[in-house]
Amino acid sequence: MKKILFGLIVSITISVNGQFLQSRLLKVNQSDVAKFEAAVEEKTKLYNSKEGQARYITFKILTGPYAQNYVRMQYADDLSEFDAIDKVGNDYWFKTTGKLHVSEGNRIFSRNAEATYSPEGAERVNHRRILYYKIKPGMEKDFWRYRTRLVEALEAANWPNRVSTLNCNSGCDGNWVMVRYHHKDFKNEYDDNSKIFPVVVEKYNELFGKNSYEDDSQRLQMSVDENRTRHHQRLPALSSSWN
């Protein structure tokens, strides 16, 4: 099965806000799912739930070639946090989950502040629609024009949920960006896209000129070699607290 690979983003015009994610794919036999999830929940409770401990987010993959497997991400405010090795927690992890999963890949992403939309007071939700873009060399300007302008249009339309954009900084292959749309569930995703996103398009054209949404979105599509869509579900019991 072909692996999903993400690439290095080089963009001098886009800044990040100091948030980093180190991501691994965890492949689990379906017969081991219950034992695996129980072990990850216990490990997270013991070693990733208190102040000063490493923080993790665990997602179940819902679609694509790795559906029904998992992604586990270590979250850090500063890149230097990845230097700290939790030997006790890691030993516990391998003792309890070592025979229940195969880990593939280790990629570091940084959150892109200018292309991320974070509405104040937004509800914390667990459903993710994720877009993976592989940008063509030299086409960054066309790509980022749409992604950064869209943030302003989302705000003008009062889009209810977070849209997080991540640059892939290490462990990558090509020129990849990950965009993560937060929703409550599939129904909420459909309702947002069918009822609210047309308002986003209207606001986009009001802000940047007639037909600008169509022109900019087409330029984005022309700026990428690949564009993939996947869905993930955050598993709260297997993740560190948001607090």
Side-chain angles (χ1 to χ4, degrees):
M1 183 180 295
K2 187 178 179 181
K3 296 181 180 179
I4 301 175
L5 299 174
F6 307 98
L8 178 64
I9 299 303
V10 179
S11 177
I12 62 174
T13 62
I14 303 298
S15 63
V16 298
N17 63 1
Q19 295 179 354
F20 298 89
L21 292 162
Q22 188 166 208
S23 175
R24 293 178 296 141
L25 168 68
L26 306 178
K27 298 172 68 176
V28 179
N29 289 329
Q30 293 306 293
S31 60
D32 292 329
V33 161
K35 290 186 291 185
F36 173 80
E37 290 192 0
V40 176
E41 179 177 354
E42 186 65 16
K43 191 269 181 181
T44 303
K45 185 185 305 181
L46 291 172
Y47 297 102
N48 310 116
S49 63
K50 299 178 179 66
E51 186 70 27
Q53 294 180 331
R55 295 165 292 174
Y56 286 89
I57 312 170
T58 303
F59 294 92
K60 176 169 279 189
I61 303 170
L62 302 181
T63 62
Y66 295 114
Q68 305 309 309
N69 290 287
Y70 301 84
V71 170
R72 189 160 165 92
M73 295 179 168
Q74 182 181 355
Y75 173 93
D77 292 320
D78 189 275
L79 193 62
S80 64
E81 292 181 40
F82 296 143
D83 289 330
I85 304 299
D86 179 13
K87 186 178 186 306
V88 176
N90 287 349
D91 287 347
Y92 183 90
W93 171 271
F94 289 115
K95 179 180 178 180
T96 57
T97 72
K99 295 181 179 180
L100 301 176
H101 79 284
V102 175
S103 177
E104 287 190 7
N106 188 346
R107 302 180 177 92
I108 296 176
F109 296 88
S110 58
R111 196 174 308 282
N112 189 308
E114 295 182 40
T116 290
Y117 170 70
S118 299
E120 186 175 350
E123 180 185 3
R124 295 290 191 175
V125 291
N126 297 319
H127 181 83
R128 303 287 186 272
R129 178 170 66 95
I130 305 172
L131 307 181
Y132 298 104
Y133 294 104
K134 185 179 183 183
I135 306 175
K136 296 176 182 177
M139 301 295 288
E140 291 85 359
K141 183 177 180 180
D142 285 343
F143 178 85
W144 291 113
R145 178 190 294 108
Y146 173 81
R147 294 298 342 162
T148 55
R149 284 182 167 185
L150 185 64
V151 171
E152 296 184 50
L154 291 168
E155 183 175 5
N158 294 316
W159 184 261
N161 299 314
R162 183 179 177 87
V163 179
S164 180
T165 299
L166 305 176
N167 294 352
C168 187
N169 302 121
S170 183
C172 315
D173 178 42
N175 194 7
W176 288 88
V177 167
M178 183 196 306
V179 180
R180 304 172 70 87
Y181 286 82
H182 295 215
H183 301 278
K184 183 177 180 180
D185 49 30
F186 278 110
K187 180 182 184 303
N188 181 252
E189 176 189 335
Y190 175 81
D191 288 343
D192 286 346
N193 289 331
S194 60
K195 298 175 182 178
I196 307 177
F197 200 77
V199 181
V200 176
V201 175
E202 291 178 9
K203 295 299 183 181
Y204 195 107
N205 289 328
E206 289 177 9
L207 288 166
F208 304 110
K210 184 179 180 180
N211 299 324
S212 58
Y213 178 84
E214 181 178 359
D215 292 343
D216 288 352
S217 60
Q218 286 182 354
R219 288 188 181 193
L220 178 142
Q221 294 302 325
M222 294 297 293
S223 74
V224 300
D225 284 321
E226 297 185 46
N227 181 358
R228 303 171 182 169
T229 302
R230 301 287 187 267
H231 282 87
H232 290 181
Q233 179 186 14
R234 180 182 179 272
L235 303 178
L238 280 62
S239 303
S240 302
S241 172
W242 268 309
N243 297 324

